[in-house]
Amino acid sequence: MNKKFITVVFEYEDGAELPARITAAFAKNEAFHGVKISAVSLEDEITRVEQLEEQLA
């Protein structure tokens, strides 16, 4: 089976429900709506990669 990955950055306000649900599922090492969460970051990793690419260019 070929593994597939999706990278998503959610922007949210304090008190949003989704981040707490995702991190809870990750901590329990269980599927979240049928998918395994393989990594979690509380930062905007897409922007960080873009900034690194700019520095390396």
Side-chain angles (χ1 to χ4, degrees), residues 3 7 9-11 17 28 35 40-42 47 49 54:
K3 293 182 180 181
T7 302
V9 175
F10 295 100
E11 182 177 328
E17 185 177 339
K28 295 176 187 175
V35 300
V40 169
S41 171
L42 298 178
T47 298
V49 168
E54 287 175 7

Side-chain angles (χ1 to χ4, degrees), residues 16-48:
E17 185 177 339
L18 181 63
R21 286 185 176 201
I22 291 172
T23 54
F26 183 75
K28 295 176 187 175
N29 197 28
E30 62 185 32
F32 184 76
H33 294 273
V35 300
K36 178 183 175 187
I37 299 171
S38 60
V40 169
S41 171
L42 298 178
E43 302 295 328
D44 181 349
E45 297 301 333
I46 300 297
T47 298
R48 291 173 64 160

